[in-house]
Amino acid sequence: MSRVALVTGGTRGIGEAICTKLKLKGYTVVANYGGNDLAAEAFTERTGIPAIKFDVSDFEATKAAIEQIAQDFGPVEILVNNAGITRDGTMHRMTFEQWNDVIQTNLTSCFNTSRAVIDGMRERGFGRIVNVGSVNGQAGQYGQVNYASAKSGIHGFTKALAQEGAAKGVTVNAVAPGYVDTDMVRAVPADVLEKIIATIPVGRLGKPEDIARTVEFLVSDNADFITGSTLSVNGGQHMY
């Protein structure tokens, strides 16, 4: 029986690329999504991967959904925390809601999902958790105090949980993408995007597949001696 992998925010962009890569590698993949039913339906039609709707920022809803996934597909042995949103704005204009929505969805979700799977992983002596951070959590970014804080928090969360899981066969790592060609980045004005690309030494935006390949390696048996690491996949934009 193939290992079950849950990818949050898995129906679009980087999440879809991760789901597709893991399915091709023989995993039983389940994608989570938060709100876009049409995109989720189209994703399942394209990939054959089931998409399950629940709010990763809601502890009880996440716990219930992961319990149902275990009943329907098997226990989650691979968890990829990819769900994330932006609510950009400078601090003097940022509302509490903008702050809280990003922290809850991007960071608290990692606790919610990991808490729901960690006991089973420890009992079975195997687990892979990969958290998707960001170059902006490493370097900071103007107008993204909330987003940078959440992503930086993910990097610290990764290192601490890795220490707890290591003796039980559970590895915990992070991937920190740079600017990747997704809907979120395409929404950046063209002149601004051109300036961003000029700061990337390899001279291009990342591709979702660049991130997916990194995740695929980290969840594999070949990466069992790697834990607590953050792999920067940013084309050399920020060397951390």
Side-chain angles (χ1 to χ4, degrees):
M1 185 175 179
S2 62
R3 289 173 175 153
V4 176
L6 171 62
V7 181
T8 69
T11 60
R12 293 187 292 170
I14 291 172
E16 179 174 355
I18 294 170
C19 286
T20 302
K21 171 63 74 174
L22 296 184
K23 182 182 178 182
L24 286 172
K25 290 294 181 178
Y27 298 100
T28 297
V29 182
V30 179
N32 149 266
Y33 74 102
N36 193 326
D37 295 327
L38 291 177
E41 291 171 6
F43 162 83
T44 298
E45 288 179 5
R46 282 194 307 274
T47 65
I49 297 170
I52 299 178
K53 185 177 183 178
F54 62 93
D55 181 0
V56 290
S57 71
D58 183 320
F59 180 81
E60 293 299 334
T62 299
K63 179 182 177 183
I66 290 177
E67 287 174 351
Q68 190 63 53
I69 289 169
Q71 291 180 28
D72 294 343
F73 302 97
V76 174
E77 295 185 288
I78 294 165
L79 171 64
V80 182
N81 284 311
N82 171 70
I85 61 172
T86 56
R87 299 287 186 270
D88 293 351
T90 52
M91 173 63 84
H92 65 284
R93 292 176 176 166
M94 185 175 290
T95 66
F96 175 75
E97 288 72 22
Q98 288 174 301
W99 166 267
N100 197 51
D101 286 351
V102 170
I103 296 296
Q104 295 301 317
T105 300
N106 296 18
L107 178 57
T108 301
S109 63
C110 292
F111 171 83
N112 294 342
T113 54
S114 298
R115 185 64 188 87
V117 303
I118 195 68
D119 288 345
M121 288 181 174
R122 288 169 60 88
E123 289 169 5
R124 291 186 297 272
F126 178 88
R128 296 284 187 269
I129 298 175
V130 178
N131 304 310
V132 179
S134 170
V135 64
N136 290 348
Q138 297 172 319
Q141 178 60 47
Y142 182 92
Q144 286 195 326
V145 166
N146 48 7
Y147 185 82
S149 296
K151 293 299 188 178
S152 181
I154 285 173
H155 299 152
F157 176 93
T158 296
K159 294 178 187 301
L161 185 55
Q163 294 179 49
E164 296 181 17
K168 296 293 185 179
V170 180
T171 67
V172 187
N173 292 289
V175 177
Y179 284 84
V180 177
D181 189 10
T182 62
D183 290 342
M184 184 185 297
V185 171
R186 290 187 205 109
V188 174
D191 59 328
V192 176
L193 191 57
E194 184 176 339
K195 292 177 182 177
I196 290 171
I197 294 173
T199 69
I200 303 173
V202 302
R204 67 169 175 86
L205 294 174
K207 301 174 184 177
E209 292 76 16
D210 294 326
I211 313 305
R213 285 192 295 269
T214 308
V215 172
E216 185 274 322
F217 168 67
L218 288 173
V219 305
S220 72
D221 291 343
N222 292 330
D224 63 353
F225 199 58
I226 300 173
T227 196
S229 293
T230 296
L231 296 188
S232 296
V233 188
N234 61 33
Q237 183 180 18
H238 180 67
M239 300 182 186
Y240 180 73

PDB file of all heavy atoms in Angstrom, residues 165-183:
ATOM      1  N   GLY A 165      10.975  15.142  16.544  1.00  0.00           N
ATOM      2  CA  GLY A 165      10.620  13.961  15.760  1.00  0.00           C
ATOM      3  C   GLY A 165      11.772  13.069  15.365  1.00  0.00           C
ATOM      4  O   GLY A 165      11.563  11.907  14.995  1.00  0.00           O
ATOM      5  N   ALA A 166      12.996  13.566  15.457  1.00  0.00           N
ATOM      6  CA  ALA A 166      14.147  12.865  14.880  1.00  0.00           C
ATOM      7  C   ALA A 166      14.311  11.444  15.400  1.00  0.00           C
ATOM      8  O   ALA A 166      14.558  10.509  14.633  1.00  0.00           O
ATOM      9  CB  ALA A 166      15.417  13.672  15.127  1.00  0.00           C
ATOM     10  N   ALA A 167      14.182  11.253  16.707  1.00  0.00           N
ATOM     11  CA  ALA A 167      14.409   9.927  17.294  1.00  0.00           C
ATOM     12  C   ALA A 167      13.288   8.946  16.963  1.00  0.00           C
ATOM     13  O   ALA A 167      13.446   7.739  17.178  1.00  0.00           O
ATOM     14  CB  ALA A 167      14.553  10.048  18.814  1.00  0.00           C
ATOM     15  N   LYS A 168      12.185   9.447  16.433  1.00  0.00           N
ATOM     16  CA  LYS A 168      11.034   8.605  16.118  1.00  0.00           C
ATOM     17  C   LYS A 168      10.871   8.380  14.615  1.00  0.00           C
ATOM     18  O   LYS A 168       9.832   7.910  14.163  1.00  0.00           O
ATOM     19  CB  LYS A 168       9.753   9.241  16.676  1.00  0.00           C
ATOM     20  CG  LYS A 168       9.731   9.348  18.197  1.00  0.00           C
ATOM     21  CD  LYS A 168       9.681   7.985  18.856  1.00  0.00           C
ATOM     22  CE  LYS A 168       9.531   8.096  20.359  1.00  0.00           C
ATOM     23  NZ  LYS A 168       9.456   6.753  21.006  1.00  0.00           N
ATOM     24  N   GLY A 169      11.879   8.735  13.834  1.00  0.00           N
ATOM     25  CA  GLY A 169      11.800   8.518  12.394  1.00  0.00           C
ATOM     26  C   GLY A 169      10.984   9.545  11.645  1.00  0.00           C
ATOM     27  O   GLY A 169      10.594   9.329  10.498  1.00  0.00           O
ATOM     28  N   VAL A 170      10.729  10.688  12.291  1.00  0.00           N
ATOM     29  CA  VAL A 170       9.939  11.757  11.666  1.00  0.00           C
ATOM     30  C   VAL A 170      10.872  12.899  11.308  1.00  0.00           C
ATOM     31  O   VAL A 170      11.499  13.501  12.189  1.00  0.00           O
ATOM     32  CB  VAL A 170       8.834  12.255  12.617  1.00  0.00           C
ATOM     33  CG1 VAL A 170       8.018  13.365  11.946  1.00  0.00           C
ATOM     34  CG2 VAL A 170       7.930  11.105  13.053  1.00  0.00           C
ATOM     35  N   THR A 171      10.999  13.194  10.029  1.00  0.00           N
ATOM     36  CA  THR A 171      11.814  14.332   9.611  1.00  0.00           C
ATOM     37  C   THR A 171      10.903  15.525   9.317  1.00  0.00           C
ATOM     38  O   THR A 171       9.780  15.369   8.845  1.00  0.00           O
ATOM     39  CB  THR A 171      12.662  14.015   8.370  1.00  0.00           C
ATOM     40  OG1 THR A 171      11.808  13.816   7.239  1.00  0.00           O
ATOM     41  CG2 THR A 171      13.515  12.782   8.597  1.00  0.00           C
ATOM     42  N   VAL A 172      11.434  16.693   9.614  1.00  0.00           N
ATOM     43  CA  VAL A 172      10.681  17.938   9.400  1.00  0.00           C
ATOM     44  C   VAL A 172      11.624  18.927   8.733  1.00  0.00           C
ATOM     45  O   VAL A 172      12.657  19.290   9.295  1.00  0.00           O
ATOM     46  CB  VAL A 172      10.160  18.521  10.731  1.00  0.00           C
ATOM     47  CG1 VAL A 172       9.243  19.710  10.458  1.00  0.00           C
ATOM     48  CG2 VAL A 172       9.444  17.455  11.558  1.00  0.00           C
ATOM     49  N   ASN A 173      11.271  19.334   7.542  1.00  0.00           N
ATOM     50  CA  ASN A 173      12.096  20.269   6.783  1.00  0.00           C
ATOM     51  C   ASN A 173      11.237  21.368   6.178  1.00  0.00           C
ATOM     52  O   ASN A 173      10.006  21.268   6.158  1.00  0.00           O
ATOM     53  CB  ASN A 173      12.862  19.533   5.681  1.00  0.00           C
ATOM     54  CG  ASN A 173      13.909  18.595   6.236  1.00  0.00           C
ATOM     55  OD1 ASN A 173      14.930  19.022   6.766  1.00  0.00           O
ATOM     56  ND2 ASN A 173      13.661  17.281   6.134  1.00  0.00           N
ATOM     57  N   ALA A 174      11.890  22.396   5.686  1.00  0.00           N
ATOM     58  CA  ALA A 174      11.183  23.493   5.025  1.00  0.00           C
ATOM     59  C   ALA A 174      11.800  23.748   3.654  1.00  0.00           C
ATOM     60  O   ALA A 174      12.987  23.493   3.429  1.00  0.00           O
ATOM     61  CB  ALA A 174      11.239  24.765   5.863  1.00  0.00           C
ATOM     62  N   VAL A 175      10.982  24.253   2.771  1.00  0.00           N
ATOM     63  CA  VAL A 175      11.424  24.751   1.476  1.00  0.00           C
ATOM     64  C   VAL A 175      11.071  26.232   1.431  1.00  0.00           C
ATOM     65  O   VAL A 175       9.945  26.611   1.769  1.00  0.00           O
ATOM     66  CB  VAL A 175      10.729  24.006   0.316  1.00  0.00           C
ATOM     67  CG1 VAL A 175      11.150  24.590  -1.027  1.00  0.00           C
ATOM     68  CG2 VAL A 175      11.039  22.517   0.370  1.00  0.00           C
ATOM     69  N   ALA A 176      12.031  27.050   1.055  1.00  0.00           N
ATOM     70  CA  ALA A 176      11.807  28.496   0.979  1.00  0.00           C
ATOM     71  C   ALA A 176      11.868  28.937  -0.478  1.00  0.00           C
ATOM     72  O   ALA A 176      12.957  29.229  -0.992  1.00  0.00           O
ATOM     73  CB  ALA A 176      12.826  29.247   1.823  1.00  0.00           C
ATOM     74  N   PRO A 177      10.735  28.978  -1.168  1.00  0.00           N
ATOM     75  CA  PRO A 177      10.749  29.413  -2.562  1.00  0.00           C
ATOM     76  C   PRO A 177      11.069  30.901  -2.672  1.00  0.00           C
ATOM     77  O   PRO A 177      10.759  31.699  -1.780  1.00  0.00           O
ATOM     78  CB  PRO A 177       9.314  29.143  -3.041  1.00  0.00           C
ATOM     79  CG  PRO A 177       8.725  28.202  -2.033  1.00  0.00           C
ATOM     80  CD  PRO A 177       9.396  28.547  -0.744  1.00  0.00           C
ATOM     81  N   GLY A 178      11.673  31.245  -3.801  1.00  0.00           N
ATOM     82  CA  GLY A 178      11.768  32.644  -4.177  1.00  0.00           C
ATOM     83  C   GLY A 178      10.513  33.023  -4.949  1.00  0.00           C
ATOM     84  O   GLY A 178       9.423  32.520  -4.680  1.00  0.00           O
ATOM     85  N   TYR A 179      10.660  33.897  -5.919  1.00  0.00           N
ATOM     86  CA  TYR A 179       9.507  34.321  -6.719  1.00  0.00           C
ATOM     87  C   TYR A 179       9.237  33.271  -7.795  1.00  0.00           C
ATOM     88  O   TYR A 179      10.076  33.007  -8.648  1.00  0.00           O
ATOM     89  CB  TYR A 179       9.752  35.693  -7.321  1.00  0.00           C
ATOM     90  CG  TYR A 179       9.599  36.790  -6.298  1.00  0.00           C
ATOM     91  CD1 TYR A 179      10.658  37.132  -5.456  1.00  0.00           C
ATOM     92  CD2 TYR A 179       8.390  37.457  -6.137  1.00  0.00           C
ATOM     93  CE1 TYR A 179      10.520  38.109  -4.485  1.00  0.00           C
ATOM     94  CE2 TYR A 179       8.242  38.454  -5.177  1.00  0.00           C
ATOM     95  CZ  TYR A 179       9.308  38.775  -4.351  1.00  0.00           C
ATOM     96  OH  TYR A 179       9.156  39.742  -3.397  1.00  0.00           O
ATOM     97  N   VAL A 180       8.055  32.671  -7.706  1.00  0.00           N
ATOM     98  CA  VAL A 180       7.681  31.563  -8.573  1.00  0.00           C
ATOM     99  C   VAL A 180       6.530  32.006  -9.469  1.00  0.00           C
ATOM    100  O   VAL A 180       5.635  32.754  -9.044  1.00  0.00           O
ATOM    101  CB  VAL A 180       7.282  30.327  -7.734  1.00  0.00           C
ATOM    102  CG1 VAL A 180       6.819  29.180  -8.620  1.00  0.00           C
ATOM    103  CG2 VAL A 180       8.462  29.889  -6.858  1.00  0.00           C
ATOM    104  N   ASP A 181       6.525  31.536 -10.696  1.00  0.00           N
ATOM    105  CA  ASP A 181       5.530  31.920 -11.691  1.00  0.00           C
ATOM    106  C   ASP A 181       4.178  31.283 -11.369  1.00  0.00           C
ATOM    107  O   ASP A 181       3.818  30.234 -11.884  1.00  0.00           O
ATOM    108  CB  ASP A 181       6.004  31.494 -13.081  1.00  0.00           C
ATOM    109  CG  ASP A 181       5.133  32.053 -14.194  1.00  0.00           C
ATOM    110  OD1 ASP A 181       4.285  32.923 -13.907  1.00  0.00           O
ATOM    111  OD2 ASP A 181       5.284  31.618 -15.347  1.00  0.00           O
ATOM    112  N   THR A 182       3.438  31.930 -10.466  1.00  0.00           N
ATOM    113  CA  THR A 182       2.103  31.489 -10.064  1.00  0.00           C
ATOM    114  C   THR A 182       1.136  32.665 -10.199  1.00  0.00           C
ATOM    115  O   THR A 182       1.543  33.793 -10.496  1.00  0.00           O
ATOM    116  CB  THR A 182       2.096  31.014  -8.599  1.00  0.00           C
ATOM    117  OG1 THR A 182       2.454  32.123  -7.745  1.00  0.00           O
ATOM    118  CG2 THR A 182       3.081  29.871  -8.377  1.00  0.00           C
ATOM    119  N   ASP A 183      -0.134  32.400  -9.956  1.00  0.00           N
ATOM    120  CA  ASP A 183      -1.143  33.462 -10.038  1.00  0.00           C
ATOM    121  C   ASP A 183      -0.799  34.618  -9.107  1.00  0.00           C
ATOM    122  O   ASP A 183      -0.994  35.794  -9.448  1.00  0.00           O
ATOM    123  CB  ASP A 183      -2.528  32.910  -9.673  1.00  0.00           C
ATOM    124  CG  ASP A 183      -3.081  31.969 -10.735  1.00  0.00           C
ATOM    125  OD1 ASP A 183      -2.578  32.007 -11.879  1.00  0.00           O
ATOM    126  OD2 ASP A 183      -4.012  31.205 -10.423  1.00  0.00           O
TER     127      ASP A 183
END
